[in-house]
Amino acid sequence: MAARATSAARAESTVLAGARVVLPTGTVEHGRLIVEGTKIAGAAPADAPAIDLTGHWVVPGFVDIHNHGGGGASFTSGSAEDVLKGVRTHREHGTTTLVASTVTGEMDFLAHRAGFLSELVEQGDLAGIHFEGPFISPCRKGAHSEELLRDPDPAEVRKLIDAARGTAKMVTLATELPGGIDSVRLLAEHGVIAAIGHTDATYEQTVEAIEAGATVATHLFNAMPGLGHRAPGPIAALLEDERITVELINDGTHLHPAALELAFHRAGAGRVAFITDAMDAAGFGDGRYQLGPLAVDVKDGVARLVDGGSIAGSTLTLDTAFRRAATIDRLPVEDVVQAISANPAKLLGVYDKVGSLEPGKDADLVVLDAEFTLKGVMRKGEWVVEPQVG
C-alpha cells in the first residue's frame, strides 16, 4: 500500500484568534480556538503562538459522504497513489473527512475494489466506502453502464459489504426493484446506510423503503422522478420523513436554487447533507475522462457522458458548495456548517471525532475570508493549506 496522504507541519499548541468561530451553539465573534497536537483543546499555555484571523471565519472541516474522485484520479479504478491524489485534492478544498464512492461495475471487480479501498480506510485516509450501483434502475441510470445494472439481490449486497471488511458506509439502491426491500433490511441490520437513489419508485414504494430502514436520499431530485401533484413520487416521501437525510449537490448545475430552497424549507437544516458527487475532473480541469466504463467530457466545469449527454457527476469541491450556499442561496452560515460538516459526520457515526469545533475532537477546520473564499485548511492539527493572513 502506498504512503498515506500527508499534510504540512503540525503546531503542538496554537491559538487561532479574532475570527468568527462557528460552534454547535452558534457563532462566536472575535473567538479563540485552541489546537493542542491533533485535537481541539479547552485551554492553551501562556506562551502558545497565536494566529490573528480577524475578519475571517473558522468552521469545522467538511465531511463528504459521496465522492468519486478528484485531481484527475478516480476512486473506482485508480491505484492507491491515484486515490491519495484525489484525497489530497479535496483536502486542499476543505474536505477533511471523505467517503470514497464507486460506480457500477462487475460484481467481482467491485468486491475486489472494496477490499482495496478498505485498506485506505483502515490507515485513516478514507472514512469509508459508498457503493453507488449496480443495484439501480435502468430508467434512472444516469452515468452508469446499463448492461452492468442488476436487481438488488440481498446475497450480492452482502457480498459487497463483506468484501469491504467493515468499512462499507452506504449503498445506493433503487428499492422498488426485486429484492430492494429485503436488501434495505439487510443493510440496516449490518449498520450500513441504505440510500434511495437512481430510482423510479412511486411515493408509496418509497415510503415502504423508509419503513424498512432506508435513511438517506442519494442526490435528491437527480436521477429520480420529478415532483408531481397527482403522483408525488419519491421526492415528496423523502422530504417529508424525519428519518431521511437528503443529499444535495450545490454546484449550480444539478439543482436550481429554488429546488435547494425547497429542500431546506421542507427538510430543515438538520436533514440536509451537502455532497460533491465529484468525479476525476474536480480540482483538475476540463477534458476527456472515464467514469467507470463510460467516457465523459468536461467542458466549463460540467461533466457529461460522451454518449447521450447525461450529467456525469460533478467537478464540485465543498468549498465552492459552501460559498454558493452562503452567498447565492443566502443560507445562514450555521445552517451551511450543519449541512456540510455536522450532519454527514453524524450519518457516518463519527460526530464524536469530527463535524464540529469542540474540545476533544480532531483539529479539523477550515479558514474562510469574509467572502467565504477558502484561506486555510487544518486536518488533525496539521495545516494542509496554511493561511496567509496579516
Side-chain angles (χ1 to χ4, degrees), residues 72-249:
S74 168
F75 297 152
T76 297
S77 58
S79 66
E81 183 179 351
D82 291 333
V83 173
L84 294 178
K85 181 181 179 183
V87 169
R88 283 192 296 269
T89 296
H90 285 283
R91 281 186 191 169
E92 290 167 359
H93 289 274
T95 298
T96 51
T97 301
L98 185 149
V99 171
S101 301
T102 62
V103 296
T104 294
E106 296 283 0
M107 284 297 299
D108 287 345
F109 172 79
L110 290 174
H112 179 268
R113 193 68 184 171
F116 166 80
L117 290 171
S118 70
E119 296 183 40
L120 292 168
V121 178
E122 290 160 1
Q123 70 182 32
D125 290 299
L126 297 171
I129 303 169
H130 163 218
F131 298 99
E132 188 181 22
F135 311 115
I136 60 177
S137 172
C139 301
R140 304 287 175 176
K141 63 182 184 296
H144 291 257
S145 178
E146 185 168 353
E147 59 267 26
L148 296 176
L149 300 182
R150 53 210 303 130
D151 291 339
D153 180 345
E156 292 194 324
V157 174
R158 177 66 184 267
K159 176 180 179 179
L160 290 187
I161 61 175
D162 284 350
R165 303 200 303 262
T167 67
K169 291 294 186 179
M170 185 162 67
V171 179
T172 291
L173 305 155
T175 53
E176 76 278 8
L177 296 176
I181 298 300
D182 287 340
S183 293
V184 169
R185 294 193 181 104
L186 171 74
L187 291 168
E189 288 169 3
H190 285 80
V192 179
I193 297 165
I196 300 172
H198 289 275
T199 176
D200 204 39
T202 63
Y203 174 90
E204 292 76 15
Q205 289 170 327
T206 306
V207 169
E208 182 183 9
I210 296 169
E211 292 297 331
T215 56
V216 166
T218 295
H219 43 54
L220 186 74
F221 299 108
N222 296 112
M224 60 182 63
L227 185 64
H229 64 294
R230 291 193 181 94
I235 293 172
L238 294 164
L239 280 176
E240 74 183 8
D241 198 295
E242 295 296 322
R243 293 168 289 186
I244 294 293
T245 298
V246 297
E247 295 182 347
L248 298 176
I249 309 172

Side-chain angles (χ1 to χ4, degrees), residues 17-37:
R20 293 175 172 174
V21 181
V22 182
L23 303 176
T25 53
T27 298
V28 177
E29 300 284 345
H30 309 293
R32 283 167 53 88
L33 190 73
I34 301 162
V35 174
E36 186 74 35

